[in-house]
Each structure stands twice: as structure tokens, then as C-alpha cells.
Amino acid sequence: MIPKWIEGLNDEDLNFIKKFILASGSLKEVAKLYNVTYPTVRLRLDKLIEKIQINESNSADPYVSLVKQLALQDKLDFDTAKILISEYKKIEKEK
């Protein structure tokens, strides 16, 4: 069975994870492999972490699920998705 957090990742994400593991978790080594700077790789890793966290948090609410899917598909940035979900939950709580 494939874990839920993996299902939301695309091929590029999985390739990054593979390279990261093969580089023994060295961001400097991954930066060399991609021919980019360390901060660029760090940012990519941070976005991947956010993607995994969003994918892991289960929600039966259709609105929350939609916002998460939009963020996972890069149609909505993660910070905006978090704000929308947080504000939505506040409104739902007040009902």
C-alpha cells in the first residue's frame, strides 16, 4: 500500500527525494546535482515538506480538501492555503 503522503507527490518530487536520499541527506550535494545554490535546494525541500504535511492532514470537509488539492497542484501557494483553511475553520467553529 502506498502511503497517502506519497500519493500527492509528482514525479519531480519523488526524483528530488530519491536524489536527496542517495546524497545521504546532504543539501549541498543535491545543489551540486541540480547545479543550483544551496538556498534554492533548501526552498525546494521546504515546499516539499509543506506538500507532505498538507497531504497527511486528512479532512472530510469538501472545502478544506479543495484548498489542499489546489495547493498540491501549485494553483495556490501554501501560505494562502493555510490562511484560507484557518479562517474557514474559525467561521465553521462560530456556527
Short mmCIF file of all heavy atoms in Angstrom, two decimals, residues 3-65:
data_model
loop_
_atom_site.label_atom_id
_atom_site.label_comp_id
_atom_site.label_asym_id
_atom_site.label_seq_id
_atom_site.Cartn_x
_atom_site.Cartn_y
_atom_site.Cartn_z
N PRO A 3 1.70 4.96 0.91
CA PRO A 3 1.26 5.92 1.93
C PRO A 3 0.59 7.14 1.29
O PRO A 3 0.97 7.57 0.20
CB PRO A 3 2.56 6.32 2.63
CG PRO A 3 3.53 5.24 2.32
CD PRO A 3 3.14 4.70 0.98
N LYS A 4 -0.37 7.71 2.00
CA LYS A 4 -1.14 8.85 1.50
C LYS A 4 -0.23 10.03 1.16
O LYS A 4 -0.45 10.71 0.17
CB LYS A 4 -2.19 9.27 2.51
CG LYS A 4 -3.08 10.39 2.02
CD LYS A 4 -4.38 10.43 2.75
CE LYS A 4 -5.26 11.54 2.28
NZ LYS A 4 -5.71 11.45 0.91
N TRP A 5 0.81 10.25 1.96
CA TRP A 5 1.66 11.41 1.71
C TRP A 5 2.41 11.29 0.39
O TRP A 5 2.75 12.29 -0.22
CB TRP A 5 2.62 11.65 2.87
CG TRP A 5 3.67 10.60 3.08
CD1 TRP A 5 3.57 9.51 3.89
CD2 TRP A 5 4.97 10.55 2.50
NE1 TRP A 5 4.74 8.78 3.83
CE2 TRP A 5 5.61 9.41 2.99
CE3 TRP A 5 5.67 11.37 1.62
CZ2 TRP A 5 6.91 9.05 2.63
CZ3 TRP A 5 6.97 11.03 1.26
CH2 TRP A 5 7.57 9.88 1.76
N ILE A 6 2.64 10.09 -0.09
CA ILE A 6 3.34 9.89 -1.37
C ILE A 6 2.40 10.11 -2.55
O ILE A 6 2.81 10.60 -3.59
CB ILE A 6 3.98 8.49 -1.43
CG1 ILE A 6 5.16 8.41 -0.46
CG2 ILE A 6 4.46 8.17 -2.84
CD1 ILE A 6 5.86 7.08 -0.42
N GLU A 7 1.13 9.78 -2.37
CA GLU A 7 0.16 9.90 -3.46
C GLU A 7 0.05 11.31 -4.01
O GLU A 7 -0.23 11.50 -5.18
CB GLU A 7 -1.22 9.42 -2.99
CG GLU A 7 -1.28 7.93 -2.75
CD GLU A 7 -2.62 7.47 -2.22
OE1 GLU A 7 -3.53 8.31 -2.04
OE2 GLU A 7 -2.76 6.27 -1.98
N GLY A 8 0.26 12.32 -3.17
CA GLY A 8 0.14 13.71 -3.61
C GLY A 8 1.39 14.27 -4.26
O GLY A 8 1.41 15.44 -4.66
N LEU A 9 2.43 13.47 -4.37
CA LEU A 9 3.69 13.95 -4.94
C LEU A 9 3.77 13.60 -6.42
O LEU A 9 3.34 12.54 -6.84
CB LEU A 9 4.87 13.34 -4.19
CG LEU A 9 4.91 13.60 -2.68
CD1 LEU A 9 6.12 12.90 -2.07
CD2 LEU A 9 4.92 15.07 -2.37
N ASN A 10 4.36 14.51 -7.19
CA ASN A 10 4.53 14.24 -8.61
C ASN A 10 5.90 13.58 -8.84
O ASN A 10 6.70 13.40 -7.91
CB ASN A 10 4.37 15.52 -9.43
CG ASN A 10 5.35 16.61 -9.03
OD1 ASN A 10 6.49 16.34 -8.70
ND2 ASN A 10 4.91 17.85 -9.08
N ASP A 11 6.18 13.23 -10.08
CA ASP A 11 7.44 12.54 -10.42
C ASP A 11 8.66 13.38 -10.06
O ASP A 11 9.68 12.86 -9.59
CB ASP A 11 7.48 12.18 -11.90
CG ASP A 11 6.50 11.08 -12.26
OD1 ASP A 11 6.05 10.35 -11.34
OD2 ASP A 11 6.18 10.93 -13.46
N GLU A 12 8.56 14.68 -10.26
CA GLU A 12 9.68 15.58 -9.94
C GLU A 12 9.97 15.57 -8.43
O GLU A 12 11.13 15.55 -8.01
CB GLU A 12 9.33 17.00 -10.40
CG GLU A 12 10.46 17.98 -10.29
CD GLU A 12 10.07 19.36 -10.81
OE1 GLU A 12 9.35 19.43 -11.81
OE2 GLU A 12 10.48 20.34 -10.17
N ASP A 13 8.91 15.56 -7.62
CA ASP A 13 9.07 15.50 -6.17
C ASP A 13 9.74 14.19 -5.75
O ASP A 13 10.67 14.18 -4.94
CB ASP A 13 7.71 15.60 -5.47
CG ASP A 13 7.02 16.93 -5.66
OD1 ASP A 13 7.70 17.94 -5.84
OD2 ASP A 13 5.78 16.94 -5.63
N LEU A 14 9.27 13.09 -6.33
CA LEU A 14 9.83 11.78 -5.99
C LEU A 14 11.29 11.67 -6.43
O LEU A 14 12.11 11.08 -5.71
CB LEU A 14 9.00 10.67 -6.62
CG LEU A 14 7.56 10.56 -6.08
CD1 LEU A 14 6.77 9.56 -6.90
CD2 LEU A 14 7.55 10.19 -4.61
N ASN A 15 11.63 12.25 -7.57
CA ASN A 15 13.01 12.25 -8.04
C ASN A 15 13.89 13.06 -7.09
O ASN A 15 15.02 12.66 -6.78
CB ASN A 15 13.08 12.80 -9.47
CG ASN A 15 14.42 12.58 -10.09
OD1 ASN A 15 15.05 11.54 -9.89
ND2 ASN A 15 14.88 13.55 -10.85
N PHE A 16 13.38 14.19 -6.62
CA PHE A 16 14.12 15.01 -5.66
C PHE A 16 14.40 14.21 -4.39
O PHE A 16 15.52 14.21 -3.87
CB PHE A 16 13.36 16.29 -5.33
CG PHE A 16 14.06 17.17 -4.34
CD1 PHE A 16 14.99 18.10 -4.77
CD2 PHE A 16 13.81 17.06 -2.98
CE1 PHE A 16 15.66 18.92 -3.86
CE2 PHE A 16 14.46 17.86 -2.07
CZ PHE A 16 15.39 18.80 -2.51
N ILE A 17 13.36 13.53 -3.88
CA ILE A 17 13.52 12.72 -2.67
C ILE A 17 14.57 11.63 -2.89
O ILE A 17 15.42 11.39 -2.03
CB ILE A 17 12.17 12.10 -2.24
CG1 ILE A 17 11.22 13.20 -1.76
CG2 ILE A 17 12.36 11.04 -1.16
CD1 ILE A 17 9.79 12.74 -1.55
N LYS A 18 14.52 10.99 -4.05
CA LYS A 18 15.50 9.93 -4.36
C LYS A 18 16.92 10.49 -4.35
O LYS A 18 17.82 9.92 -3.73
CB LYS A 18 15.17 9.31 -5.72
CG LYS A 18 16.14 8.23 -6.13
CD LYS A 18 15.76 7.68 -7.50
CE LYS A 18 16.78 6.66 -7.96
NZ LYS A 18 16.46 6.16 -9.32
N LYS A 19 17.11 11.64 -5.02
CA LYS A 19 18.45 12.24 -5.06
C LYS A 19 18.89 12.66 -3.67
O LYS A 19 20.07 12.51 -3.32
CB LYS A 19 18.45 13.44 -6.02
CG LYS A 19 18.39 13.02 -7.47
CD LYS A 19 18.47 14.20 -8.40
CE LYS A 19 18.43 13.70 -9.84
NZ LYS A 19 18.67 14.73 -10.82
N PHE A 20 17.97 13.18 -2.88
CA PHE A 20 18.28 13.59 -1.52
C PHE A 20 18.75 12.40 -0.69
O PHE A 20 19.74 12.47 0.03
CB PHE A 20 17.04 14.24 -0.90
CG PHE A 20 17.22 14.73 0.50
CD1 PHE A 20 18.00 15.84 0.78
CD2 PHE A 20 16.58 14.09 1.56
CE1 PHE A 20 18.15 16.30 2.08
CE2 PHE A 20 16.72 14.54 2.85
CZ PHE A 20 17.51 15.64 3.12
N ILE A 21 18.06 11.30 -0.81
CA ILE A 21 18.43 10.08 -0.06
C ILE A 21 19.78 9.55 -0.54
O ILE A 21 20.65 9.21 0.26
CB ILE A 21 17.33 9.00 -0.19
CG1 ILE A 21 16.08 9.45 0.57
CG2 ILE A 21 17.83 7.65 0.33
CD1 ILE A 21 14.86 8.60 0.31
N LEU A 22 19.96 9.48 -1.86
CA LEU A 22 21.22 8.98 -2.41
C LEU A 22 22.40 9.88 -2.06
O LEU A 22 23.54 9.43 -2.02
CB LEU A 22 21.11 8.79 -3.92
CG LEU A 22 20.16 7.67 -4.36
CD1 LEU A 22 20.02 7.66 -5.88
CD2 LEU A 22 20.66 6.31 -3.86
N ALA A 23 22.11 11.16 -1.78
CA ALA A 23 23.15 12.10 -1.37
C ALA A 23 23.31 12.10 0.15
O ALA A 23 23.92 13.00 0.72
CB ALA A 23 22.83 13.50 -1.87
N SER A 24 22.75 11.09 0.80
CA SER A 24 22.80 10.94 2.26
C SER A 24 22.24 12.16 2.98
O SER A 24 22.71 12.52 4.06
CB SER A 24 24.23 10.68 2.72
OG SER A 24 24.72 9.49 2.15
N GLY A 25 21.26 12.80 2.38
CA GLY A 25 20.62 13.95 3.02
C GLY A 25 21.42 15.23 2.96
O GLY A 25 21.10 16.20 3.64
N SER A 26 22.43 15.27 2.13
CA SER A 26 23.27 16.46 2.01
C SER A 26 22.65 17.44 1.01
O SER A 26 22.64 17.18 -0.20
CB SER A 26 24.68 16.09 1.55
OG SER A 26 25.40 17.25 1.19
N LEU A 27 22.17 18.57 1.52
CA LEU A 27 21.61 19.58 0.62
C LEU A 27 22.68 20.18 -0.28
O LEU A 27 22.41 20.54 -1.42
CB LEU A 27 20.91 20.67 1.43
CG LEU A 27 19.67 20.24 2.21
CD1 LEU A 27 19.08 21.40 2.98
CD2 LEU A 27 18.63 19.65 1.28
N LYS A 28 23.89 20.25 0.22
CA LYS A 28 24.99 20.77 -0.61
C LYS A 28 25.22 19.85 -1.81
O LYS A 28 25.44 20.31 -2.93
CB LYS A 28 26.28 20.90 0.21
CG LYS A 28 26.26 22.04 1.18
CD LYS A 28 27.57 22.15 1.92
CE LYS A 28 27.51 23.26 2.94
NZ LYS A 28 28.77 23.41 3.67
N GLU A 29 25.17 18.55 -1.57
CA GLU A 29 25.36 17.58 -2.65
C GLU A 29 24.20 17.65 -3.65
O GLU A 29 24.41 17.59 -4.86
CB GLU A 29 25.49 16.17 -2.08
CG GLU A 29 25.85 15.12 -3.09
CD GLU A 29 27.22 15.34 -3.74
OE1 GLU A 29 28.13 15.84 -3.06
OE2 GLU A 29 27.35 15.00 -4.93
N VAL A 30 22.99 17.79 -3.15
CA VAL A 30 21.82 17.90 -4.03
C VAL A 30 21.92 19.17 -4.87
O VAL A 30 21.60 19.16 -6.06
CB VAL A 30 20.51 17.86 -3.23
CG1 VAL A 30 19.31 18.11 -4.12
CG2 VAL A 30 20.36 16.51 -2.52
N ALA A 31 22.39 20.25 -4.26
CA ALA A 31 22.57 21.51 -5.00
C ALA A 31 23.55 21.31 -6.16
O ALA A 31 23.32 21.81 -7.26
CB ALA A 31 23.06 22.61 -4.06
N LYS A 32 24.60 20.56 -5.91
CA LYS A 32 25.57 20.27 -6.98
C LYS A 32 24.92 19.44 -8.09
O LYS A 32 25.14 19.70 -9.27
CB LYS A 32 26.79 19.51 -6.42
CG LYS A 32 27.72 20.34 -5.60
CD LYS A 32 28.88 19.49 -5.09
CE LYS A 32 29.70 20.22 -4.06
NZ LYS A 32 30.74 19.36 -3.47
N LEU A 33 24.12 18.45 -7.70
CA LEU A 33 23.47 17.59 -8.69
C LEU A 33 22.52 18.38 -9.59
O LEU A 33 22.42 18.13 -10.79
CB LEU A 33 22.68 16.47 -7.99
CG LEU A 33 23.49 15.42 -7.26
CD1 LEU A 33 22.57 14.52 -6.43
CD2 LEU A 33 24.28 14.58 -8.26
N TYR A 34 21.81 19.34 -9.01
CA TYR A 34 20.86 20.16 -9.78
C TYR A 34 21.52 21.40 -10.37
O TYR A 34 20.88 22.15 -11.11
CB TYR A 34 19.69 20.58 -8.89
CG TYR A 34 18.64 19.51 -8.72
CD1 TYR A 34 18.58 18.74 -7.56
CD2 TYR A 34 17.69 19.27 -9.71
CE1 TYR A 34 17.61 17.76 -7.39
CE2 TYR A 34 16.72 18.30 -9.55
CZ TYR A 34 16.68 17.56 -8.40
OH TYR A 34 15.72 16.59 -8.24
N ASN A 35 22.79 21.64 -9.98
CA ASN A 35 23.52 22.81 -10.44
C ASN A 35 22.80 24.11 -10.05
O ASN A 35 22.61 25.02 -10.86
CB ASN A 35 23.76 22.76 -11.96
CG ASN A 35 24.85 23.70 -12.39
OD1 ASN A 35 25.77 24.01 -11.63
ND2 ASN A 35 24.75 24.19 -13.62
N VAL A 36 22.38 24.15 -8.78
CA VAL A 36 21.73 25.33 -8.21
C VAL A 36 22.38 25.65 -6.87
O VAL A 36 23.22 24.90 -6.39
CB VAL A 36 20.21 25.11 -8.03
CG1 VAL A 36 19.51 24.91 -9.37
CG2 VAL A 36 19.92 23.95 -7.10
N THR A 37 21.96 26.75 -6.27
CA THR A 37 22.53 27.14 -4.98
C THR A 37 21.89 26.37 -3.83
O THR A 37 20.78 25.83 -3.96
CB THR A 37 22.33 28.64 -4.72
OG1 THR A 37 20.93 28.91 -4.62
CG2 THR A 37 22.97 29.47 -5.83
N TYR A 38 22.58 26.35 -2.72
CA TYR A 38 22.06 25.71 -1.51
C TYR A 38 20.70 26.28 -1.11
O TYR A 38 19.77 25.52 -0.83
CB TYR A 38 23.08 25.85 -0.37
CG TYR A 38 22.60 25.30 0.95
CD1 TYR A 38 22.86 23.98 1.31
CD2 TYR A 38 21.88 26.10 1.84
CE1 TYR A 38 22.42 23.47 2.52
CE2 TYR A 38 21.43 25.59 3.05
CZ TYR A 38 21.70 24.29 3.38
OH TYR A 38 21.26 23.78 4.56
N PRO A 39 20.55 27.64 -1.07
CA PRO A 39 19.23 28.19 -0.69
C PRO A 39 18.10 27.74 -1.62
O PRO A 39 16.96 27.56 -1.17
CB PRO A 39 19.43 29.70 -0.76
CG PRO A 39 20.89 29.90 -0.57
CD PRO A 39 21.54 28.71 -1.22
N THR A 40 18.39 27.53 -2.88
CA THR A 40 17.38 27.06 -3.83
C THR A 40 16.92 25.66 -3.46
O THR A 40 15.72 25.36 -3.46
CB THR A 40 17.93 27.09 -5.27
OG1 THR A 40 18.32 28.42 -5.59
CG2 THR A 40 16.91 26.59 -6.27
N VAL A 41 17.87 24.81 -3.11
CA VAL A 41 17.54 23.44 -2.71
C VAL A 41 16.79 23.45 -1.38
O VAL A 41 15.83 22.71 -1.19
CB VAL A 41 18.81 22.56 -2.63
CG1 VAL A 41 18.50 21.20 -2.03
CG2 VAL A 41 19.42 22.40 -4.00
N ARG A 42 17.20 24.30 -0.47
CA ARG A 42 16.53 24.40 0.83
C ARG A 42 15.07 24.82 0.65
O ARG A 42 14.17 24.26 1.28
CB ARG A 42 17.28 25.43 1.71
CG ARG A 42 16.71 25.62 3.08
CD ARG A 42 17.02 24.43 3.95
NE ARG A 42 15.75 23.90 4.43
CZ ARG A 42 15.62 22.87 5.23
NH1 ARG A 42 16.66 22.19 5.64
NH2 ARG A 42 14.45 22.46 5.63
N LEU A 43 14.84 25.78 -0.24
CA LEU A 43 13.48 26.23 -0.53
C LEU A 43 12.65 25.10 -1.13
O LEU A 43 11.50 24.88 -0.76
CB LEU A 43 13.51 27.43 -1.47
CG LEU A 43 12.17 28.03 -1.86
CD1 LEU A 43 11.43 28.57 -0.64
CD2 LEU A 43 12.37 29.15 -2.88
N ARG A 44 13.26 24.36 -2.04
CA ARG A 44 12.56 23.22 -2.66
C ARG A 44 12.20 22.17 -1.61
O ARG A 44 11.10 21.64 -1.60
CB ARG A 44 13.47 22.61 -3.74
CG ARG A 44 12.97 21.34 -4.35
CD ARG A 44 11.70 21.60 -5.14
NE ARG A 44 10.94 20.41 -5.36
CZ ARG A 44 11.03 19.62 -6.39
NH1 ARG A 44 11.85 19.92 -7.37
NH2 ARG A 44 10.29 18.54 -6.49
N LEU A 45 13.11 21.91 -0.70
CA LEU A 45 12.85 20.95 0.37
C LEU A 45 11.74 21.45 1.29
O LEU A 45 10.84 20.70 1.67
CB LEU A 45 14.12 20.67 1.17
CG LEU A 45 13.99 19.67 2.31
CD1 LEU A 45 13.54 18.31 1.80
CD2 LEU A 45 15.31 19.55 3.05
N ASP A 46 11.76 22.74 1.62
CA ASP A 46 10.72 23.31 2.47
C ASP A 46 9.35 23.19 1.83
O ASP A 46 8.36 22.86 2.48
CB ASP A 46 11.01 24.78 2.79
CG ASP A 46 12.21 24.94 3.72
OD1 ASP A 46 12.60 23.95 4.38
OD2 ASP A 46 12.75 26.06 3.79
N LYS A 47 9.27 23.43 0.52
CA LYS A 47 7.99 23.31 -0.20
C LYS A 47 7.54 21.85 -0.22
O LYS A 47 6.35 21.56 -0.09
CB LYS A 47 8.12 23.84 -1.62
CG LYS A 47 8.15 25.34 -1.69
CD LYS A 47 8.15 25.83 -3.11
CE LYS A 47 8.10 27.34 -3.16
NZ LYS A 47 7.91 27.83 -4.52
N LEU A 48 8.46 20.95 -0.37
CA LEU A 48 8.15 19.52 -0.37
C LEU A 48 7.63 19.09 1.00
O LEU A 48 6.66 18.34 1.10
CB LEU A 48 9.38 18.71 -0.77
CG LEU A 48 9.21 17.23 -0.99
CD1 LEU A 48 8.11 16.93 -1.99
CD2 LEU A 48 10.52 16.64 -1.48
N ILE A 49 8.23 19.61 2.05
CA ILE A 49 7.78 19.32 3.41
C ILE A 49 6.34 19.81 3.59
O ILE A 49 5.49 19.10 4.13
CB ILE A 49 8.73 19.95 4.46
CG1 ILE A 49 10.07 19.21 4.45
CG2 ILE A 49 8.09 19.93 5.86
CD1 ILE A 49 11.17 19.91 5.23
N GLU A 50 6.06 21.03 3.11
CA GLU A 50 4.71 21.57 3.22
C GLU A 50 3.71 20.71 2.45
O GLU A 50 2.60 20.45 2.93
CB GLU A 50 4.67 23.01 2.69
CG GLU A 50 5.32 24.01 3.61
CD GLU A 50 5.28 25.42 3.06
OE1 GLU A 50 5.16 25.61 1.83
OE2 GLU A 50 5.35 26.35 3.87
N LYS A 51 4.11 20.27 1.27
CA LYS A 51 3.25 19.41 0.46
C LYS A 51 2.89 18.14 1.21
O LYS A 51 1.75 17.71 1.24
CB LYS A 51 3.97 19.03 -0.84
CG LYS A 51 3.32 19.47 -2.09
CD LYS A 51 4.09 18.94 -3.28
CE LYS A 51 3.53 19.53 -4.55
NZ LYS A 51 4.19 19.01 -5.74
N ILE A 52 3.90 17.53 1.83
CA ILE A 52 3.69 16.29 2.57
C ILE A 52 2.78 16.55 3.77
O ILE A 52 1.86 15.77 4.04
CB ILE A 52 5.04 15.67 2.99
CG1 ILE A 52 5.77 15.16 1.75
CG2 ILE A 52 4.83 14.55 4.01
CD1 ILE A 52 7.22 14.76 1.99
N GLN A 53 3.01 17.65 4.47
CA GLN A 53 2.19 17.96 5.64
C GLN A 53 0.73 18.19 5.25
O GLN A 53 -0.18 17.71 5.92
CB GLN A 53 2.74 19.18 6.37
CG GLN A 53 4.03 18.89 7.10
CD GLN A 53 4.69 20.13 7.66
OE1 GLN A 53 4.47 21.25 7.19
NE2 GLN A 53 5.50 19.95 8.68
N ILE A 54 0.51 18.90 4.16
CA ILE A 54 -0.86 19.15 3.70
C ILE A 54 -1.50 17.84 3.28
O ILE A 54 -2.67 17.57 3.58
CB ILE A 54 -0.88 20.17 2.54
CG1 ILE A 54 -0.63 21.57 3.09
CG2 ILE A 54 -2.20 20.13 1.78
CD1 ILE A 54 -0.53 22.64 2.04
N ASN A 55 -0.77 17.01 2.60
CA ASN A 55 -1.30 15.73 2.13
C ASN A 55 -1.61 14.78 3.29
O ASN A 55 -2.52 13.98 3.20
CB ASN A 55 -0.32 15.08 1.16
CG ASN A 55 -1.02 14.31 0.08
OD1 ASN A 55 -2.19 14.51 -0.19
ND2 ASN A 55 -0.30 13.42 -0.54
N GLU A 56 -0.84 14.87 4.35
CA GLU A 56 -1.02 13.99 5.50
C GLU A 56 -2.25 14.34 6.33
O GLU A 56 -2.88 13.48 6.91
CB GLU A 56 0.21 14.06 6.41
CG GLU A 56 1.37 13.28 5.90
CD GLU A 56 1.58 12.02 6.70
OE1 GLU A 56 1.94 12.11 7.87
OE2 GLU A 56 1.38 10.95 6.13
N SER A 57 -2.56 15.63 6.40
CA SER A 57 -3.68 16.04 7.24
C SER A 57 -4.99 15.73 6.53
O SER A 57 -5.29 16.27 5.47
CB SER A 57 -3.58 17.52 7.58
OG SER A 57 -3.54 18.31 6.41
N ASN A 58 -5.71 14.81 7.09
CA ASN A 58 -6.97 14.36 6.50
C ASN A 58 -8.10 15.32 6.84
O ASN A 58 -8.14 15.87 7.91
CB ASN A 58 -7.33 12.97 7.01
CG ASN A 58 -6.35 11.93 6.56
OD1 ASN A 58 -5.78 12.05 5.49
ND2 ASN A 58 -6.14 10.92 7.37
N SER A 59 -9.01 15.50 5.89
CA SER A 59 -10.18 16.31 6.14
C SER A 59 -11.35 15.77 5.32
O SER A 59 -11.22 15.52 4.13
CB SER A 59 -9.92 17.76 5.76
OG SER A 59 -11.10 18.51 5.92
N ALA A 60 -12.47 15.61 5.99
CA ALA A 60 -13.67 15.16 5.29
C ALA A 60 -14.41 16.35 4.70
O ALA A 60 -15.32 16.18 3.90
CB ALA A 60 -14.58 14.41 6.26
N ASP A 61 -14.01 17.56 5.08
CA ASP A 61 -14.68 18.75 4.61
C ASP A 61 -14.30 19.03 3.15
O ASP A 61 -13.12 19.15 2.83
CB ASP A 61 -14.28 19.94 5.49
CG ASP A 61 -15.08 21.17 5.18
OD1 ASP A 61 -14.86 21.74 4.09
OD2 ASP A 61 -15.92 21.56 5.99
N PRO A 62 -15.29 19.15 2.26
CA PRO A 62 -15.00 19.36 0.84
C PRO A 62 -14.22 20.64 0.55
O PRO A 62 -13.34 20.65 -0.31
CB PRO A 62 -16.39 19.42 0.19
CG PRO A 62 -17.32 18.83 1.16
CD PRO A 62 -16.71 19.00 2.51
N TYR A 63 -14.52 21.72 1.28
CA TYR A 63 -13.81 22.98 1.05
C TYR A 63 -12.34 22.85 1.40
O TYR A 63 -11.46 23.24 0.63
CB TYR A 63 -14.44 24.13 1.87
CG TYR A 63 -13.68 25.42 1.73
CD1 TYR A 63 -13.84 26.22 0.60
CD2 TYR A 63 -12.79 25.84 2.71
CE1 TYR A 63 -13.13 27.40 0.46
CE2 TYR A 63 -12.07 27.01 2.58
CZ TYR A 63 -12.25 27.79 1.45
OH TYR A 63 -11.53 28.95 1.32
N VAL A 64 -12.07 22.28 2.56
CA VAL A 64 -10.68 22.10 3.01
C VAL A 64 -9.94 21.19 2.04
O VAL A 64 -8.80 21.46 1.66
CB VAL A 64 -10.63 21.56 4.46
CG1 VAL A 64 -9.20 21.24 4.87
CG2 VAL A 64 -11.24 22.57 5.42
N SER A 65 -10.58 20.13 1.60
CA SER A 65 -9.96 19.21 0.63
C SER A 65 -9.64 19.92 -0.67
O SER A 65 -8.57 19.72 -1.26
CB SER A 65 -10.89 18.03 0.35
OG SER A 65 -11.04 17.25 1.51
#
